[in-house]
Amino acid sequence: EIVMTQSPATLSVSPGERATLSCRASQSVSSNLVWYQQKPGQAPRLLIYGASTRATGIPARFSGSGSGTEFTLTISSLQSEDFAVYYCQHYSNWPPYTFGQGTKLEIK
Amino acid sequence: EEQLVESGGGLVQPGGSLRLSCAASRFSFSSYWMSWVRQAPGKGLEWVANINQDGSEKYYVDSVKGRFTISRDNAKNSLFLQMNSLRAEDTAVYYCASDRTNYYDTSGLRYWGQGTLVTVSS
């Protein structure tokens, strides 16, 4: 089973600044990496797939990069609606799919 | 807009059973694998099971194998999760989500329902 590890657990950033979230896989997942955003009381929302492709309707300030075992989600200029929990998930060597434990992005 | 609506959650005693349903609309349900994902209170996401388009392939996380059964009815655009021998650690919000369209599709879990809460407690 592939273990996904996200860092940091909590990230405090001011609105308008850049946020960088990390995700590491215990073995290579190639580019088969997905990012989700989850706000309190809501279902997760697909942000990025294929490590770097934005899902339909996702603003350009969200970008993903990486391959193999190291991945990054960058939010270029934080808006108030971006403060949420972010999860990475691998889509390789399944089952099972596994998620990272999440990074909570909070307002500084 | 694509929609998934879960139902069937509730309070059940340890060892009991529950059947979750997920009704899909406004997208081609029969073209997708479908997944169940759960989230324990205050915790992260855990993939539970998925099923291919015609129901001939089913996969489960180890912790639910032999206890949970995923199924679907394409004529009714519906997904199900039969949960038996429930344990306290199965307490979670259960989400259904659209999955891949084929083995090579890695575009993620695209459409999600709002979730249904399952509480296992005496």
Side-chain angles (χ1 to χ4, degrees):
Chain A
E1 176 178 318
I2 298 175
V3 177
M4 308 300 293
T5 303
Q6 292 185 241
S7 60
T10 303
L11 182 62
S12 299
V13 183
S14 300
E17 293 189 340
R18 174 188 297 256
T20 302
L21 290 67
S22 296
C23 175
R24 174 177 293 179
S26 60
Q27 65 187 76
S28 177
V29 298
S30 186
S31 295
N32 300 322
L33 192 284
V34 181
W35 290 96
Y36 302 91
Q37 176 194 66
Q38 187 179 34
K39 297 179 181 180
Q42 295 185 16
R45 177 174 72 145
L46 177 66
L47 291 179
I48 301 281
Y49 62 91
S52 60
T53 303
R54 282 189 302 278
T56 303
I58 302 303
R61 65 180 181 272
F62 290 90
S63 63
S65 63
S67 66
T69 62
E70 300 285 342
F71 300 89
T72 300
L73 175 68
T74 302
I75 311 170
S76 60
S77 178
L78 280 163
Q79 307 296 304
S80 57
E81 61 267 28
D82 300 335
F83 292 96
V85 180
Y86 292 83
Y87 294 94
C88 63
Q89 177 207 12
H90 81 80
Y91 235 69
S92 180
N93 288 349
W94 62 280
Y97 302 139
T98 48
F99 293 87
Q101 79 279 19
T103 290
K104 182 180 181 180
L105 181 57
E106 63 177 27
I107 300 174
K108 187 174 182 180
Chain B
E1 184 176 326
E2 301 81 4
Q3 190 172 32
L4 291 166
V5 179
E6 300 94 338
S7 60
L11 175 64
V12 61
Q13 292 187 339
S17 298
L18 215 53
R19 188 188 194 217
L20 305 184
S21 299
C22 171
S25 59
R26 303 192 197 108
F27 72 99
S28 183
F29 176 77
S30 61
S31 297
Y32 288 84
W33 287 66
M34 293 295 296
S35 272
W36 288 97
V37 175
R38 66 185 178 183
Q39 186 169 37
K43 302 298 184 181
L45 302 171
E46 180 183 37
W47 174 82
V48 174
N50 68 355
I51 186 170
N52 72 340
Q53 288 91 337
D54 65 5
S56 61
E57 293 187 54
K58 305 174 184 181
Y59 300 99
Y60 302 89
V61 69
D62 284 349
S63 60
V64 308
K65 283 180 182 176
R67 301 189 299 123
F68 289 13
T69 302
I70 189 172
S71 62
R72 66 191 296 163
D73 183 339
N74 288 338
K76 296 181 178 179
N77 287 339
S78 293
L79 176 72
F80 306 100
L81 186 67
Q82 177 67 43
M83 304 186 295
N84 299 330
S85 303
L86 282 161
R87 306 167 180 168
E89 55 265 35
D90 296 317
T91 294
V93 173
Y94 284 73
Y95 297 100
C96 63
S98 65
D99 200 330
R100 59 186 65 230
T101 54
N102 56 62
Y103 285 111
Y104 309 103
D105 176 4
T106 57
S107 56
L109 304 176
R110 186 170 300 272
Y111 311 128
W112 293 70
Q114 84 291 348
T116 187
L117 177 62
V118 172
T119 303
V120 184
S121 175
S122 55

